[in-house]
Amino acid sequence: MSALPPGSTIGILGGGQLGRMMAMSAAQLGYRCHIYAPEGDNVAAHVAAAYTCAPWHNGDALAAFARDCDVITYEFENVPVGPLANVPQDKLAPGTRALEVAQDRVREKRFMQDAGGTPADFAVVDHDSELADAVERIGVPGILKTRRDGYDGKGQWAINERADAQGVRIPETGCVYEARLTFECEFSVILVRGRDGEVRFWDSSRNRHENGILAHCELPAPAIVAQQLDKARDMARKVADALGYVGVLTLEFFATPNGPVFNEMAPRVHNSGHWTIEGAVTSQFENHIRAICGLPLGDTASVSGSMVMDNLIGEEALDLARHLSEGRAHVHLYGKAEAREGRKMGHITRVW
């Protein structure tokens, strides 16, 4: 496709903070955004030109939304694929294949293996009766995860000893049981792929999680990340090319003594890349807009060798005056109505 001119409309499926930050970058480049999301605290709508509040399975509403848009993207990977048949596929970037892969943990792991990647040892668990055998084969400790819909530590259960698996009920959609790894740190490979197939990478930060939620990112990452980065990037590029991907794609890895081990894929901009707003020449949000609109990709180089990004979770975000009193703090609040425990309310980036 030829580049979309300023004034064109970008449709965003999903109304959360990722859509909000994409819409802000789109406005900077002269585009208008139209948000489509079911009822909820859709903070992306606060900064968009138009907003359709309707269920995912409302085909008429989706079709009307699509008619108003010149290109359509999504801000989270759990948009149901079936209803997207109401959206012209040539308008959708990335395409539905990335959603189909990312929405099923087993399919995702097998796709990664086909691309030459290495996930942790795993076993598919479709029925209650299969869990004990999976634990026996993979060993303990391990983690039982739902095949679909899990995020930020939700839909996961630690199996520290075999007795923990007794009485566990497997949901209809099934689970996957994974070995728990010994690793030095976690890191993400975040890339952007243009419509012409060009791929660019941002630096990879060290990621720290608390209670299953990303809490902190920092650059420079430990030396082991630099040692494993070429292999991890090669895997990520192969995945992006195999999907015919357009936009920002994130793959999470564990840095282990035996090399990078794949954790999961996010076909979207990612929390571990929020630091790029101040810390890179071109942020992940701007480059996603550039890619889906057919524009030249921006420079992904870091502007400094040292950066930290901290998520503001729950009521921690409410003390705005204290956060702003620190001279280096770039504060981003997402405009969410309620500061619930475990809810991402904003983030702070510091660049040295």
Side-chain angles (χ1 to χ4, degrees):
M1 63 174 277
S2 57
L4 290 183
S8 300
T9 298
I10 299 170
I12 299 176
L13 297 165
Q17 66 263 22
L18 301 180
R20 179 186 177 97
M21 287 183 273
M22 282 196 288
M24 293 167 73
S25 285
Q28 183 178 337
L29 295 177
Y31 296 107
R32 68 189 296 274
C33 283
H34 186 160
I35 306 299
Y36 186 103
E39 187 173 350
D41 192 4
N42 291 312
V43 296
H46 302 172
V47 298
Y51 170 41
T52 295
C53 182
W56 294 121
H57 291 273
N58 187 329
D60 291 340
L62 264 175
F65 161 78
R67 287 193 294 271
D68 185 55
C69 301
D70 298 291
V71 67
I72 297 170
T73 192
Y74 43 84
E75 63 115 36
F76 80 125
E77 62 269 43
N78 289 325
V79 176
V81 173
L84 295 183
N86 296 286
V87 173
Q89 296 305 291
D90 60 350
K91 283 189 176 183
L92 193 62
T96 56
R97 191 172 176 214
L99 289 177
E100 291 168 344
V101 171
Q103 287 177 3
D104 184 322
R105 283 193 168 100
V106 173
R107 184 171 183 177
E108 179 183 70
K109 292 175 185 300
R110 289 173 174 163
F111 187 89
M112 194 65 189
Q113 288 174 323
D114 290 342
T118 305
D121 290 340
F122 68 94
V124 180
V125 183
D126 287 326
H127 306 286
D128 298 350
S129 60
E130 297 175 344
L131 179 55
D133 181 61
V135 172
E136 188 64 31
R137 284 189 288 122
I138 302 300
V140 290
I143 304 174
L144 182 68
K145 299 180 179 180
T146 56
R147 284 184 67 157
R148 304 180 71 88
D149 296 332
Y151 66 97
D152 283 349
K154 299 178 177 66
Q156 301 185 19
W157 302 271
I159 306 292
N160 294 314
E161 53 188 55
R162 285 169 173 77
D164 293 338
Q166 295 175 5
V168 172
R169 301 305 302 271
I170 303 301
E172 246 181 64
T173 52
C175 287
V176 58
Y177 180 69
E178 300 176 11
R180 185 177 295 173
L181 298 171
T182 299
F183 59 91
E184 183 169 325
C185 68
E186 298 177 64
F187 67 98
S188 299
V189 171
I190 307 177
L191 64 81
V192 60
R193 186 175 186 272
R195 289 189 177 272
D196 60 357
E198 179 186 4
V199 172
R200 297 188 180 190
F201 296 92
W202 284 270
D203 286 334
S204 289
S205 63
R206 176 178 190 157
N207 302 334
R208 299 180 188 270
H209 291 75
E210 296 176 4
N211 301 317
I213 302 172
L214 181 67
H216 180 83
C217 298
E218 61 184 42
L219 283 176
I224 192 172
V225 174
Q227 294 162 7
Q228 299 186 5
L229 198 53
D230 285 348
K231 186 173 182 180
R233 284 182 171 181
D234 182 60
M235 294 181 211
R237 184 191 295 271
K238 287 177 179 175
V239 168
D241 288 343
L243 291 171
Y245 199 86
V246 175
V248 170
L249 173 69
T250 307
L251 272 68
E252 297 181 54
F253 292 91
F254 300 111
T256 79
N258 298 316
V261 175
F262 170 74
N263 181 27
E264 61 185 26
M265 178 179 90
R268 54 170 170 81
V269 291
H270 196 260
N271 194 173
S272 64
H274 288 357
W275 65 269
T276 62
I277 298 173
E278 288 84 23
V281 176
T282 311
S283 76
Q284 63 168 349
F285 301 101
E286 180 179 331
N287 254 342
H288 186 79
I289 298 301
R290 288 184 182 219
I292 66 173
C293 291
L295 296 168
L297 300 180
D299 190 346
T300 54
S302 298
V303 299
S304 172
S306 298
M307 172 284 308
V308 295
M309 189 281 294
D310 293 299
N311 273 333
L312 297 173
I313 298 171
E315 293 189 354
E316 181 185 9
L318 302 181
D319 195 353
L320 182 59
R322 177 173 66 85
H323 297 315
L324 292 176
S325 67
E326 182 187 340
R328 291 189 183 276
H330 298 276
V331 181
H332 299 258
L333 296 184
Y334 305 148
K336 295 181 179 180
E338 183 182 358
R340 297 193 299 269
E341 182 179 353
R343 193 181 197 196
K344 295 173 183 174
M345 300 295 294
H347 70 269
I348 296 176
T349 301
R350 302 170 180 87
V351 180
W352 286 271

